Amino acid sequence: MKLLDCSCGTVVGLFTVLVVLIAVIFYHLENSESVTYPRMAHDMKTLEENFRQKNKSCFILGASGETGKELLKEIVNRKIFSRITLIGRRQLTFEDKAYESLVQEVVDFEKLDDYAAAFQGHDVGYCCLGTTKAKAGTEGFVRVDHDYVLKSAQLAKAGGCGHFHLESSKGADKTSGFLYLRVKGEVEADVGELGFERYSIYRPAVLMVDRQESRPTEWLARKFLAPLSAAFPTAMSIPIASVVRAMAVNTLLEGEAKAEILENKAIYNLGKVAEK
């Protein structure tokens, strides 16, 4: 009996140590990013109204994906653009009347030069294009996440786009040994060389969203991170709503930097501004 009590005590002790270690790690991850908070000269409604009066237009690449879909909903609800254009490989259908004024340009991403007109006349561009190696293979992944993105950015710049938003990934690094992070880092750098008036890169961690598309690895990660995200919301994950809100708010703000990288915590905090 004493041996059993001793064994139980050891297990409880080890479990406690493990929980403490996990908490310390997540606390470190939660506070490892330095964040510069935006200076809000006006409230959100004033910012939206001021921006609305500029009569600007935008396009969204990847509106059929999870981030693009949520971003479209966000900017439609805020009514900050006079015209919204969706650029994609297929026509999307919407039942809500709020979407009836959308312009849709169906393009062949393998022949984007033939569709240069679709990228002309937009003030703001949002790029949420992306796939996975598991879905498209190595070559397909590089083609979508790098080649399609870069070519789209080139056409957007030539078409007069002033502010280009790029959804990237936490850990993006063109020198990384991991294909996914290396390609994300490479396209960040290549788009940066185009010289947009303003270039905003978003590096979210694991997106907390129920995807329609099956991604088993992300599904497992979300199941593991869900209970922890309440206590450590930016350590390893982020709600997709925070990402699209941050994109919307950042569009309204006057950027001090020509190029900016928003890491996960900065995205989360900027998204919180939109809730006020």
Side-chain angles (χ1 to χ4, degrees), residues 93-274:
T93 57
F94 303 95
E95 296 180 359
D96 194 326
K97 288 186 177 180
Y99 295 82
E100 62 185 6
S101 63
L102 293 177
V103 177
Q104 296 200 53
E105 298 283 356
V106 178
V107 303
D108 181 350
F109 283 98
E110 291 293 328
K111 303 175 182 178
L112 274 180
D113 280 322
D114 296 342
Y115 301 89
F119 293 86
Q120 292 181 354
H122 307 290
D123 300 291
V124 181
Y126 300 97
C127 183
C128 304
L129 282 179
T131 186
T132 63
K133 180 180 174 182
K135 181 180 179 180
T138 300
E139 291 184 3
F141 166 69
V142 174
R143 190 160 62 249
V144 173
D145 282 57
H146 181 276
D147 300 348
Y148 290 178
V149 171
L150 179 57
K151 188 61 183 179
S152 296
Q154 290 170 341
L155 293 173
K157 178 66 167 60
C161 178
H163 188 183
F164 192 80
H165 301 255
L166 175 64
E167 181 188 18
S168 184
S169 171
K170 183 179 178 69
D173 182 352
K174 63 182 181 180
T175 66
S176 175
F178 295 98
L179 175 69
Y180 182 83
L181 298 179
R182 184 174 72 250
V183 170
K184 291 294 187 182
E186 288 172 349
V187 77
E188 284 183 3
D190 291 343
V191 171
E193 292 179 1
L194 299 178
F196 282 97
E197 292 176 19
R198 190 174 172 205
Y199 176 37
S200 300
I201 299 168
Y202 303 84
R203 291 179 175 175
V206 176
L207 294 175
M208 301 303 288
V209 58
D210 292 326
R211 289 187 184 274
Q212 294 180 353
E213 175 189 2
S214 177
R215 294 187 181 182
T217 302
E218 285 193 8
W219 182 85
L220 287 171
R222 289 195 300 273
K223 291 299 181 183
F224 170 73
L225 293 172
L228 296 168
S229 62
F232 306 101
T234 65
M236 294 181 68
S237 64
I238 188 169
I240 196 168
S242 296
V243 178
V244 299
R245 286 172 186 159
M247 287 182 167
V249 173
N250 203 27
T251 301
L252 303 175
L253 295 174
E254 293 295 331
E256 296 179 359
K258 184 175 182 180
E260 58 188 351
I261 297 176
L262 285 80
E263 298 289 355
N264 198 55
K265 191 169 186 177
I267 297 171
Y268 181 81
N269 287 329
L270 192 54
K272 293 289 286 185
V273 172

